[in-house]
Coordinates of all heavy atoms in Angstrom, one line a residue:
M14 N 76.3 73.2 76.7 CA 75.3 72.3 76.2 C 75.8 71.5 75.1 O 76.1 72.0 74.1 CB 74.1 73.2 75.9 CG 72.9 72.4 75.3 SD 71.6 73.6 75.0 CE 70.3 72.8 75.6
E15 N 75.8 70.2 75.4 CA 76.4 69.3 74.4 C 75.5 68.8 73.3 O 74.3 68.6 73.6 CB 77.1 68.0 75.1 CG 77.8 67.2 74.1 CD 78.5 66.1 75.0 OE1 78.8 66.2 76.3 OE2 78.4 65.0 74.5
G16 N 75.8 69.1 72.1 CA 75.0 68.6 71.0 C 73.8 69.5 70.7 O 73.0 69.2 69.8
G17 N 73.6 70.6 71.3 CA 72.6 71.5 71.1 C 72.9 72.9 70.8 O 74.2 73.2 70.9
S18 N 72.0 73.7 70.6 CA 72.4 75.2 70.4 C 71.9 75.9 71.6 O 71.0 75.6 72.2 CB 71.8 75.7 69.0 OG 70.3 75.7 69.2
T19 N 72.7 77.1 71.7 CA 72.3 78.1 72.9 C 71.4 79.1 72.3 O 71.7 79.7 71.3 CB 73.6 78.6 73.5 OG1 74.6 77.6 73.8 CG2 73.3 79.6 74.6
P20 N 70.2 79.3 72.9 CA 69.3 80.4 72.4 C 70.0 81.8 72.3 O 70.8 82.1 73.2 CB 68.2 80.3 73.4 CG 68.3 79.1 74.2 CD 69.7 78.7 74.1
L21 N 69.6 82.6 71.4 CA 70.2 83.8 71.1 C 69.5 84.7 72.2 O 68.3 84.5 72.5 CB 70.0 84.4 69.9 CG 70.7 83.6 68.7 CD1 70.3 84.1 67.4 CD2 72.3 83.5 68.9
T22 N 70.1 85.8 72.6 CA 69.4 86.9 73.4 C 68.6 87.7 72.5 O 68.8 87.6 71.2 CB 70.4 87.7 74.1 OG1 71.1 88.5 73.1 CG2 71.5 87.1 74.9
D23 N 67.6 88.5 73.0 CA 66.8 89.2 72.0 C 67.6 90.1 71.1 O 67.3 90.3 69.9 CB 65.8 90.1 72.9 CG 64.8 89.2 73.6 OD1 64.5 88.2 73.1 OD2 64.1 89.8 74.4
D24 N 68.7 90.8 71.8 CA 69.5 91.7 70.8 C 70.2 90.8 69.8 O 70.3 91.3 68.6 CB 70.4 92.4 71.9 CG 71.4 93.3 71.0 OD1 70.7 94.3 70.4 OD2 72.6 93.4 71.2
E25 N 70.8 89.6 70.1 CA 71.5 88.8 69.2 C 70.5 88.4 68.1 O 70.9 88.3 66.9 CB 72.1 87.5 69.8 CG 73.3 88.0 70.7 CD 73.7 86.8 71.7 OE1 72.9 85.9 72.0 OE2 74.9 86.7 72.1
E26 N 69.2 88.1 68.5 CA 68.3 87.6 67.5 C 67.9 88.6 66.5 O 67.8 88.6 65.2 CB 67.1 87.1 68.2 CG 65.9 86.6 67.3 CD 66.4 85.3 66.6 OE1 67.1 84.5 67.1 OE2 65.9 85.1 65.4
Q27 N 67.8 90.0 67.0 CA 67.5 91.0 66.1 C 68.6 91.3 65.2 O 68.5 91.6 64.1 CB 67.2 92.2 66.9 CG 65.8 92.3 67.6 CD 65.6 93.6 68.4 OE1 66.4 94.5 68.5 NE2 64.4 93.6 69.1
R28 N 69.9 91.3 65.7 CA 71.0 91.6 64.8 C 71.1 90.4 63.7 O 71.4 90.6 62.6 CB 72.3 91.5 65.5 CG 72.5 92.9 66.4 CD 73.9 93.1 66.9 NE 74.4 91.9 67.6 CZ 74.6 91.8 69.0 NH1 74.2 92.8 69.7 NH2 75.1 90.7 69.4
M29 N 70.9 89.1 64.2 CA 70.8 88.0 63.2 C 69.8 88.1 62.0 O 70.1 88.0 61.0 CB 70.7 86.7 63.8 CG 70.4 85.5 63.1 SD 72.0 85.1 62.1 CE 72.9 84.3 63.3
R30 N 68.6 88.6 62.4 CA 67.6 88.8 61.4 C 67.9 89.9 60.6 O 67.6 89.8 59.3 CB 66.3 89.0 62.1 CG 65.8 87.6 62.7 CD 64.4 87.8 63.4 NE 64.1 86.5 64.2 CZ 63.0 85.9 64.1 NH1 62.0 86.4 63.3 NH2 62.8 84.8 64.7
A31 N 68.5 91.0 61.0 CA 69.0 92.2 60.3 C 70.0 91.7 59.2 O 70.0 92.1 58.1 CB 69.3 93.3 61.2
M32 N 70.9 91.0 59.8 CA 72.0 90.5 58.9 C 71.5 89.5 57.8 O 71.8 89.8 56.6 CB 73.1 89.8 59.7 CG 74.3 89.3 58.9 SD 74.2 87.7 58.1 CE 73.9 86.6 59.3
L33 N 70.6 88.6 58.1 CA 70.2 87.7 57.1 C 69.2 88.6 56.2 O 69.2 88.3 54.9 CB 69.1 86.8 57.8 CG 69.8 85.6 58.6 CD1 68.9 84.8 59.4 CD2 70.7 84.9 57.6
F34 N 68.4 89.6 56.7 CA 67.7 90.3 55.8 C 68.5 91.1 54.7 O 68.2 91.0 53.6 CB 66.9 91.5 56.6 CG 66.0 92.4 55.8 CD1 64.6 92.1 55.6 CD2 66.5 93.6 55.2 CE1 63.8 92.8 54.8 CE2 65.6 94.3 54.5 CZ 64.3 94.1 54.2
G35 N 69.7 91.6 55.1 CA 70.6 92.3 54.2 C 71.2 91.4 53.2 O 71.2 91.6 51.9
E36 N 71.9 90.3 53.9 CA 72.7 89.4 53.0 C 71.8 88.6 52.0 O 72.1 88.5 51.0 CB 73.5 88.5 54.0 CG 74.6 89.2 54.7 CD 75.6 89.9 53.9 OE1 76.0 89.3 52.9 OE2 76.0 91.0 54.2
L37 N 70.7 88.0 52.5 CA 69.8 87.0 51.7 C 69.1 87.9 50.8 O 68.9 87.6 49.7 CB 69.0 86.2 52.7 CG 69.7 85.3 53.6 CD1 68.7 84.5 54.4 CD2 70.7 84.4 52.9
G38 N 68.6 89.2 51.2 CA 68.0 90.0 50.4 C 68.5 90.4 49.2 O 68.2 90.5 48.1
N39 N 70.0 90.8 49.4 CA 70.8 91.2 48.4 C 71.0 90.1 47.3 O 71.0 90.3 46.1 CB 72.2 91.6 48.8 CG 72.0 92.9 49.5 OD1 71.1 93.8 49.3 ND2 73.0 93.3 50.4
E40 N 71.2 88.8 47.9 CA 71.3 87.7 47.0 C 70.1 87.4 46.2 O 70.2 87.2 44.9 CB 71.7 86.3 47.8 CG 72.1 85.2 47.0 CD 73.5 85.5 46.3 OE1 74.4 86.2 46.8 OE2 73.8 84.8 45.3
I41 N 68.9 87.5 46.8 CA 67.8 87.2 46.1 C 67.5 88.4 45.0 O 67.1 88.1 43.9 CB 66.5 87.1 47.1 CG1 66.7 86.0 48.0 CG2 65.2 87.2 46.3 CD1 65.7 85.9 49.2
A42 N 67.8 89.6 45.4 CA 67.7 90.7 44.4 C 68.7 90.6 43.3 O 68.2 90.9 42.1 CB 68.0 92.1 45.1
D43 N 69.8 90.0 43.4 CA 70.7 89.7 42.3 C 70.4 88.6 41.5 O 70.5 88.7 40.2 CB 72.1 89.5 43.0 CG 72.9 90.7 43.5 OD1 72.3 91.9 43.3 OD2 73.8 90.6 44.3
R44 N 69.9 87.5 42.0 CA 69.7 86.4 41.2 C 68.2 85.6 41.2 O 68.1 84.7 40.7 CB 70.7 85.2 41.4 CG 70.8 84.6 42.6 CD 71.9 83.5 42.6 NE 71.8 82.8 43.9 CZ 72.7 82.0 44.3 NH1 73.8 81.7 43.6 NH2 72.6 81.4 45.5
G45 N 67.4 86.2 42.1 CA 66.2 85.7 42.2 C 65.8 84.6 43.4 O 64.7 84.3 43.6
W46 N 66.9 84.1 43.9 CA 66.8 83.1 44.9 C 68.1 82.9 45.7 O 69.1 83.4 45.3 CB 66.5 81.8 44.3 CG 67.6 81.3 43.4 CD1 67.7 81.5 42.0 CD2 68.7 80.3 43.6 NE1 68.9 80.9 41.5 CE2 69.5 80.3 42.5 CE3 69.1 79.7 44.7 CZ2 70.6 79.5 42.5 CZ3 70.2 78.9 44.7 CH2 71.0 78.8 43.4
V47 N 68.0 82.2 46.8 CA 69.1 82.0 47.7 C 68.8 80.7 48.5 O 67.6 80.3 48.9 CB 69.5 83.1 48.7 CG1 68.4 83.3 49.6 CG2 70.8 82.8 49.3
R48 N 69.8 79.8 48.7 CA 69.6 78.7 49.7 C 70.4 79.1 50.9 O 71.4 79.6 50.8 CB 70.4 77.4 49.1 CG 69.6 76.8 47.9 CD 70.3 75.5 47.5 NE 69.5 74.9 46.3 CZ 70.0 75.0 45.2 NH1 71.1 75.7 44.9 NH2 69.2 74.5 44.2
F49 N 69.8 78.5 52.1 CA 70.4 78.8 53.3 C 70.2 77.6 54.3 O 69.2 77.0 54.3 CB 70.0 80.2 54.0 CG 70.9 80.8 54.9 CD1 72.0 81.5 54.5 CD2 70.6 80.6 56.3 CE1 72.8 82.0 55.3 CE2 71.6 81.2 57.2 CZ 72.7 81.9 56.7
P50 N 71.2 77.3 55.1 CA 71.0 76.2 56.1 C 70.0 76.5 57.2 O 70.0 77.8 57.5 CB 72.5 76.0 56.7 CG 73.3 77.1 56.2 CD 72.5 77.8 55.1
A51 N 69.3 75.5 57.6 CA 68.2 75.7 58.7 C 68.2 74.4 59.4 O 67.4 73.5 59.1 CB 66.8 76.0 58.0
Y52 N 69.1 74.3 60.3 CA 69.2 73.0 61.1 C 68.3 72.8 62.2 O 68.1 71.7 62.7 CB 70.7 73.0 61.7 CG 71.7 73.1 60.6 CD1 72.6 74.1 60.6 CD2 71.8 72.0 59.7 CE1 73.6 74.2 59.5 CE2 72.9 72.1 58.6 CZ 73.7 73.2 58.6 OH 74.6 73.2 57.6
S53 N 67.7 73.9 62.7 CA 66.9 73.9 63.9 C 65.4 74.5 63.5 O 65.4 75.3 62.6 CB 67.4 74.6 65.0 OG 67.4 75.9 64.9
P54 N 64.3 74.2 64.3 CA 63.1 74.9 64.0 C 63.3 76.4 64.3 O 62.7 77.2 63.5 CB 62.2 74.5 65.2 CG 62.8 73.1 65.5 CD 64.3 73.3 65.3
E55 N 64.2 76.9 65.1 CA 64.4 78.3 65.3 C 65.0 78.9 64.1 O 64.7 80.0 63.5 CB 65.4 78.5 66.5 CG 64.8 78.2 67.8 CD 64.9 76.7 68.1 OE1 65.8 76.0 67.5 OE2 64.1 76.2 69.0
D56 N 66.0 78.2 63.4 CA 66.5 78.7 62.1 C 65.5 78.7 61.2 O 65.4 79.8 60.2 CB 67.5 77.7 61.6 CG 68.9 77.5 62.4 OD1 69.2 78.6 63.1 OD2 69.5 76.6 62.4
R57 N 64.6 77.7 61.0 CA 63.6 77.8 60.0 C 62.6 78.9 60.2 O 62.3 79.6 59.2 CB 62.8 76.5 59.9 CG 63.7 75.4 59.4 CD 63.0 74.2 59.1 NE 62.8 73.2 60.4 CZ 63.7 72.5 60.9 NH1 64.9 72.6 60.4 NH2 63.6 72.0 62.0
R58 N 62.1 79.2 61.5 CA 61.2 80.4 61.8 C 61.9 81.5 61.5 O 61.3 82.5 61.0 CB 61.0 80.3 63.3 CG 59.9 79.3 63.7 CD 59.3 79.5 65.1 NE 60.2 79.1 66.1 CZ 60.4 77.8 66.5 NH1 59.6 76.8 66.2 NH2 61.3 77.6 67.5
R59 N 63.2 81.8 61.8 CA 63.9 83.0 61.4 C 64.0 83.3 60.0 O 63.7 84.4 59.6 CB 65.4 82.8 62.1 CG 66.2 84.1 61.9 CD 67.6 83.8 62.5 NE 67.5 83.5 63.9 CZ 68.1 82.5 64.4 NH1 68.7 81.5 63.7 NH2 67.9 82.3 65.7
L60 N 64.2 82.2 59.1 CA 64.3 82.5 57.6 C 62.9 82.7 57.2 O 62.7 83.6 56.2 CB 64.9 81.2 57.1 CG 66.3 81.0 57.2 CD1 66.8 79.7 56.7 CD2 67.1 82.2 56.7
I61 N 61.8 82.2 57.7 CA 60.4 82.5 57.2 C 60.1 83.8 57.6 O 59.5 84.5 56.8 CB 59.5 81.4 57.8 CG1 59.7 80.0 57.2 CG2 58.0 81.8 57.7 CD1 59.0 78.8 57.9
D62 N 60.5 84.3 58.8 CA 60.4 85.8 59.3 C 61.0 86.7 58.3 O 60.5 87.8 57.7 CB 60.7 86.0 60.6 CG 60.5 87.4 60.9 OD1 59.3 87.8 61.1 OD2 61.5 88.0 61.2
V63 N 62.3 86.3 57.9 CA 63.0 87.2 56.9 C 62.3 87.2 55.6 O 62.2 88.3 55.0 CB 64.5 86.8 56.9 CG1 65.2 87.3 55.7 CG2 65.2 86.9 58.1
A64 N 61.9 86.1 55.2 CA 61.1 86.1 53.8 C 59.8 86.9 53.9 O 59.5 87.7 52.9 CB 60.8 84.8 53.5
H65 N 59.1 86.9 55.0 CA 57.9 87.8 55.1 C 58.2 89.2 55.2 O 57.6 90.1 54.5 CB 57.2 87.4 56.4 CG 56.5 86.1 56.2 ND1 56.1 85.4 57.5 CD2 56.2 85.3 55.3 CE1 55.6 84.2 57.0 NE2 55.5 84.2 55.7
R66 N 59.4 89.6 55.8 CA 59.8 91.0 55.8 C 60.3 91.4 54.6 O 60.1 92.6 54.2 CB 60.9 91.2 57.0 CG 60.4 90.9 58.4 CD 61.4 91.0 59.5 NE 60.9 90.8 60.8 CZ 60.5 91.6 61.6 NH1 60.3 92.9 61.3 NH2 60.0 91.3 62.8
L67 N 61.0 90.6 53.8 CA 61.4 91.0 52.5 C 60.3 91.2 51.5 O 60.2 92.1 50.8 CB 62.4 89.9 51.9 CG 63.7 89.9 52.4 CD1 64.4 88.6 52.0 CD2 64.5 91.1 52.0
S68 N 59.1 90.2 51.6 CA 58.0 90.5 50.9 C 57.4 91.8 51.2 O 56.9 92.5 50.2 CB 56.9 89.4 51.1 OG 57.4 88.1 50.8
S69 N 57.2 92.1 52.4 CA 56.7 93.5 52.8 C 57.5 94.6 52.3 O 56.9 95.6 51.7 CB 56.5 93.6 54.3 OG 56.1 94.8 54.7
H70 N 58.8 94.4 52.4 CA 59.7 95.6 52.0 C 59.6 95.8 50.5 O 59.6 97.0 50.0 CB 61.2 95.1 52.4 CG 62.2 96.1 52.1 ND1 62.3 97.4 52.8 CD2 63.2 96.1 51.1 CE1 63.4 98.0 52.3 NE2 63.9 97.4 51.4
W71 N 59.6 94.7 49.7 CA 59.6 94.8 48.2 C 58.3 94.8 47.7 O 58.1 95.3 46.4 CB 60.3 93.6 47.6 CG 61.8 93.6 47.8 CD1 62.6 94.6 47.9 CD2 62.6 92.6 47.8 NE1 63.9 94.5 48.1 CE2 64.0 93.0 48.0 CE3 62.5 91.1 47.7 CZ2 65.1 92.0 48.1 CZ3 63.6 90.2 47.9 CH2 64.8 90.7 48.0
G72 N 57.3 94.5 48.3 CA 55.8 94.5 47.7 C 55.6 93.5 46.8 O 54.7 93.4 46.0
Q73 N 56.4 92.4 46.9 CA 56.2 91.2 46.1 C 56.6 89.9 47.0 O 57.4 90.1 47.8 CB 56.8 91.1 44.8 CG 58.4 91.0 44.9 CD 59.0 91.0 43.5 OE1 58.7 91.8 42.7 NE2 59.8 90.1 43.3
Q74 N 55.8 88.8 46.9 CA 56.1 87.6 47.7 C 57.4 87.0 47.4 O 57.9 86.8 46.3 CB 55.0 86.6 47.5 CG 55.2 85.4 48.5 CD 54.0 84.5 48.5 OE1 53.0 84.8 47.8 NE2 53.9 83.6 49.4
V75 N 58.2 86.8 48.6 CA 59.4 85.9 48.7 C 58.9 84.6 49.2 O 58.4 84.5 50.2 CB 60.4 86.5 49.6 CG1 61.7 85.5 49.6 CG2 60.9 87.9 49.1
F76 N 59.0 83.6 48.4 CA 58.6 82.1 48.7 C 59.6 81.4 49.5 O 60.8 81.7 49.4 CB 58.3 81.3 47.5 CG 57.1 82.0 46.6 CD1 57.4 82.9 45.6 CD2 55.7 81.6 46.9 CE1 56.3 83.4 44.8 CE2 54.7 82.2 46.2 CZ 55.1 83.0 45.1
V77 N 59.2 80.5 50.3 CA 60.1 79.7 51.1 C 59.7 78.3 50.8 O 58.7 77.8 50.9 CB 60.0 80.0 52.7 CG1 60.9 79.0 53.4 CG2 60.2 81.4 53.0
E78 N 60.8 77.5 50.6 CA 60.7 76.1 50.3 C 61.8 75.2 51.0 O 63.0 75.6 50.9 CB 60.7 76.0 48.6 CG 60.6 74.5 48.2 CD 60.8 74.5 46.6 OE1 59.8 75.0 46.0 OE2 61.8 74.1 46.2
A79 N 61.4 74.2 51.6 CA 62.3 73.2 52.2 C 62.9 72.5 51.0 O 62.2 71.8 50.4 CB 61.6 72.3 53.2
E80 N 64.2 72.5 51.0 CA 64.8 71.6 49.9 C 65.2 70.3 50.5 O 65.2 69.3 49.7 CB 66.1 72.3 49.4 CG 65.8 73.5 48.5 CD 66.8 73.9 47.7 OE1 68.2 74.0 48.1 OE2 66.5 74.3 46.5
D81 N 65.5 70.2 51.8 CA 65.7 69.0 52.5 C 65.6 69.3 54.0 O 65.1 70.3 54.4 CB 67.1 68.4 52.2 CG 68.3 69.3 52.4 OD1 68.2 70.1 53.3 OD2 69.3 69.3 51.6
Q82 N 66.0 68.4 54.9 CA 65.9 68.6 56.3 C 66.7 69.8 56.9 O 66.4 70.3 58.0 CB 66.1 67.4 57.2 CG 65.0 66.3 56.9 CD 65.4 65.0 57.6 OE1 66.5 64.7 57.9 NE2 64.4 64.3 57.9
C83 N 67.7 70.2 56.1 CA 68.7 71.1 56.7 C 68.9 72.4 55.9 O 69.8 73.2 56.1 CB 70.1 70.5 56.9 SG 70.0 69.1 58.0
R84 N 67.9 72.6 54.8 CA 68.3 73.6 53.9 C 67.0 74.2 53.4 O 66.0 73.4 53.0 CB 69.2 73.4 52.8 CG 69.5 74.3 51.9 CD 70.5 73.9 50.9 NE 70.1 72.7 50.3 CZ 70.8 72.0 49.5 NH1 72.0 72.3 49.2 NH2 70.5 70.8 48.9
L85 N 66.7 75.5 53.4 CA 65.5 76.3 52.9 C 66.1 77.0 51.7 O 67.1 77.6 51.5 CB 65.0 77.1 53.8 CG 64.2 76.6 55.1 CD1 63.6 77.6 56.0 CD2 63.1 75.6 54.6
K86 N 65.0 77.2 50.7 CA 65.3 78.1 49.5 C 64.3 79.3 49.7 O 63.1 79.0 49.9 CB 65.0 77.3 48.2 CG 65.3 78.2 46.9 CD 65.1 77.3 45.8 CE 65.2 78.1 44.5 NZ 65.2 77.3 43.3
L87 N 64.9 80.5 49.5 CA 64.0 81.7 49.6 C 64.0 82.1 48.1 O 65.2 82.3 47.4 CB 64.5 82.7 50.4 CG 64.1 82.6 51.9 CD1 64.8 81.4 52.6 CD2 64.4 83.7 52.7
Y88 N 62.9 82.5 47.5 CA 63.0 82.8 46.1 C 61.7 83.7 45.6 O 60.7 83.6 46.2 CB 63.0 81.6 45.2 CG 61.8 80.7 45.3 CD1 60.8 80.8 44.4 CD2 61.7 79.8 46.2 CE1 59.7 80.0 44.6 CE2 60.7 78.9 46.4 CZ 59.7 79.0 45.6 OH 58.5 78.1 45.7
L89 N 61.9 84.3 44.6 CA 60.9 85.3 43.9 C 60.1 84.2 42.9 O 60.6 83.3 42.5 CB 61.4 86.4 43.2 CG 62.2 87.3 44.1 CD1 62.9 88.4 43.3 CD2 61.3 87.9 45.1
A90 N 58.9 84.7 42.5 CA 58.2 83.9 41.6 C 59.0 83.7 40.3 O 59.7 84.6 39.8 CB 56.9 84.7 41.2
G91 N 58.9 82.5 39.7 CA 59.7 82.3 38.6 C 61.0 81.6 38.9 O 61.8 81.1 38.0
Y92 N 61.5 81.6 40.1 CA 62.8 81.0 40.6 C 62.7 79.8 41.4 O 63.6 79.4 42.0 CB 63.7 82.0 41.3 CG 64.0 83.1 40.2 CD1 63.2 84.2 40.2 CD2 65.2 83.0 39.6 CE1 63.6 85.3 39.3 CE2 65.5 84.0 38.6 CZ 64.7 85.2 38.5 OH 65.2 86.3 37.7
G93 N 61.5 79.1 41.5 CA 61.4 78.0 42.3 C 60.4 77.0 41.7 O 60.1 77.0 40.6
T94 N 59.8 76.2 42.5 CA 58.8 75.2 42.1 C 57.5 75.6 41.9 O 56.6 75.2 41.3 CB 58.8 73.9 42.9 OG1 58.5 74.4 44.3 CG2 60.2 73.2 42.9
Q95 N 57.2 77.0 42.5 CA 55.8 77.6 42.3 C 55.7 78.0 40.8 O 56.8 78.3 40.1 CB 55.8 78.8 43.1 CG 56.0 78.6 44.7 CD 54.7 78.0 45.3 OE1 53.6 78.3 44.6 NE2 54.8 77.5 46.3
S96 N 54.6 78.2 40.2 CA 54.4 78.5 38.9 C 54.9 79.9 38.7 O 54.6 80.7 39.5 CB 52.9 78.3 38.5 OG 52.1 79.2 39.3
A97 N 55.4 80.3 37.5 CA 56.0 81.5 37.4 C 54.9 82.6 37.2 O 53.9 82.1 36.4 CB 56.9 81.6 36.2
D98 N 55.0 83.7 37.7 CA 54.0 84.8 37.4 C 54.5 85.8 36.5 O 55.6 86.5 36.9 CB 53.7 85.6 38.8 CG 52.7 86.6 38.6 OD1 52.3 87.1 37.5 OD2 52.5 87.2 39.8
P99 N 54.1 85.8 35.2 CA 54.8 86.6 34.3 C 54.7 88.2 34.6 O 55.5 88.9 34.0 CB 54.1 86.3 32.9 CG 52.7 85.8 33.4 CD 53.0 85.1 34.7
T100 N 53.8 88.7 35.5 CA 53.8 90.1 35.7 C 54.7 90.4 36.7 O 54.9 91.6 37.1 CB 52.4 90.4 36.3 OG1 52.0 89.7 37.5 CG2 51.3 90.0 35.3
S101 N 55.4 89.4 37.6 CA 56.3 89.8 38.6 C 57.7 90.3 38.2 O 58.0 89.9 37.0 CB 56.5 88.6 39.6 OG 57.3 87.6 39.0
R102 N 58.3 91.1 38.9 CA 59.6 91.6 38.6 C 60.6 91.5 39.7 O 60.0 91.5 40.8 CB 59.5 93.1 38.1 CG 58.7 93.4 37.0 CD 58.9 94.8 36.6 NE 58.8 95.7 37.7 CZ 57.8 96.7 37.9 NH1 56.7 96.6 37.2 NH2 57.8 97.3 39.0
R103 N 61.8 91.3 39.5 CA 62.7 91.4 40.5 C 62.8 92.8 41.2 O 62.6 93.7 40.4 CB 64.1 91.0 40.0 CG 64.1 89.5 39.7 CD 65.3 89.0 39.2 NE 66.6 89.6 39.6 CZ 67.7 89.0 39.3 NH1 67.9 88.0 38.4 NH2 68.7 89.5 39.7
P104 N 63.2 92.9 42.5 CA 63.1 94.1 43.0 C 64.3 94.9 42.5 O 65.3 94.4 42.0 CB 63.4 93.8 44.4 CG 63.7 92.4 44.6 CD 63.3 91.8 43.2
R105 N 64.0 96.2 42.4 CA 65.1 97.1 41.7 C 66.1 97.6 42.8 O 67.2 98.0 42.5 CB 64.4 98.4 41.1 CG 63.7 98.0 39.9 CD 63.1 99.1 39.3 NE 61.8 99.0 39.1 CZ 60.9 99.9 38.5 NH1 61.3 101.1 38.2 NH2 59.6 99.7 38.5
T106 N 65.8 97.5 44.1 CA 66.6 98.0 45.2 C 67.2 96.8 45.9 O 66.4 95.9 46.1 CB 65.9 99.0 45.9 OG1 64.8 98.5 46.6 CG2 65.4 100.4 45.1
R107 N 68.2 97.1 46.6 CA 68.7 96.1 47.5 C 68.1 96.3 48.8 O 67.5 97.3 49.0 CB 70.4 96.2 47.6 CG 71.0 95.8 46.2 CD 72.4 96.2 46.2 NE 73.3 95.2 46.8 CZ 73.6 94.2 46.2 NH1 73.2 93.9 45.1 NH2 74.5 93.3 46.9
S108 N 68.2 95.3 49.7 CA 67.4 95.2 50.9 C 68.0 95.9 52.2 O 67.6 95.7 53.2 CB 67.2 93.7 51.2 OG 68.4 93.1 51.6
T109 N 69.0 96.8 51.9 CA 69.6 97.5 53.1 C 68.7 98.4 53.7 O 67.7 99.0 53.2 CB 70.8 98.3 52.7 OG1 70.4 99.2 51.7 CG2 71.9 97.3 52.0
G110 N 68.9 98.6 55.2 CA 68.2 99.6 55.9 C 67.2 99.1 56.9 O 66.6 99.7 57.5
W111 N 67.0 97.7 56.9 CA 66.0 97.1 57.9 C 66.6 96.9 59.1 O 67.7 96.4 59.3 CB 65.5 95.8 57.2 CG 64.5 95.1 58.1 CD1 63.2 95.4 58.2 CD2 64.7 94.1 59.1 NE1 62.6 94.7 59.1 CE2 63.5 93.7 59.7 CE3 65.8 93.4 59.4 CZ2 63.4 92.9 60.6 CZ3 65.8 92.3 60.3 CH2 64.5 92.1 61.0
T112 N 65.8 97.3 60.1 CA 66.1 96.9 61.5 C 65.0 96.3 62.2 O 63.8 96.6 61.9 CB 66.5 98.2 62.2 OG1 65.5 99.2 62.2 CG2 67.9 98.8 61.8
A113 N 65.2 95.4 63.1 CA 64.1 94.7 63.8 C 63.3 95.6 64.6 O 63.6 96.6 65.1 CB 64.8 93.6 64.5

């Protein structure tokens, strides 16, 4: 398929989301935010789902913001353009252990 992407199988999609959950979650836990490319609607949906899963895992919201047409920022309160919530804390644990 020229100029397009090939859809992932269900198994590949689960592995991709698990990898993003761990890698992006660790980065957010370390510094409060992360930027990641999102070139297609599927990429954006995948990152939004990962943010929702991290929010559920940590018990605090992970926000998602489009920085431009090809990049999203996932972040905790106080690390993005949303107003800072002084009662929020960064997660104390890393995000390992999630499976789809």
Side-chain angles (χ1 to χ4, degrees):
M14 179 180 222
E15 191 173 318
S18 62
T19 306
L21 300 177
T22 66
D23 289 343
D24 186 49
E25 291 169 332
E26 183 66 32
Q27 288 181 2
R28 286 194 313 255
M29 173 64 83
R30 288 177 190 234
M32 184 275 304
L33 290 171
F34 181 91
E36 296 297 320
L37 300 181
N39 287 338
E40 190 71 26
I41 294 167
D43 288 344
R44 70 177 181 190
W46 62 276
V47 67
R48 287 185 180 102
F49 203 79
Y52 300 111
S53 69
E55 293 82 17
D56 291 339
R57 289 185 282 283
R58 280 192 290 273
R59 186 178 296 124
L60 291 173
I61 290 167
D62 179 66
V63 167
H65 289 157
R66 292 177 187 267
L67 286 167
S68 294
S69 177
H70 181 72
W71 287 333
Q73 70 180 51
Q74 186 170 359
V75 175
F76 297 93
V77 179
E78 179 179 289
E80 292 200 317
D81 56 36
Q82 290 180 329
C83 299
R84 185 173 47 186
L85 293 180
K86 180 177 181 180
L87 283 67
Y88 61 94
L89 300 172
Y92 291 92
T94 59
Q95 299 284 336
S96 60
D98 176 0
T100 63
S101 70
R102 296 187 318 249
R103 287 178 36 178
R105 288 185 236 181
T106 60
R107 295 171 80 81
S108 63
T109 57
W111 178 78
T112 57

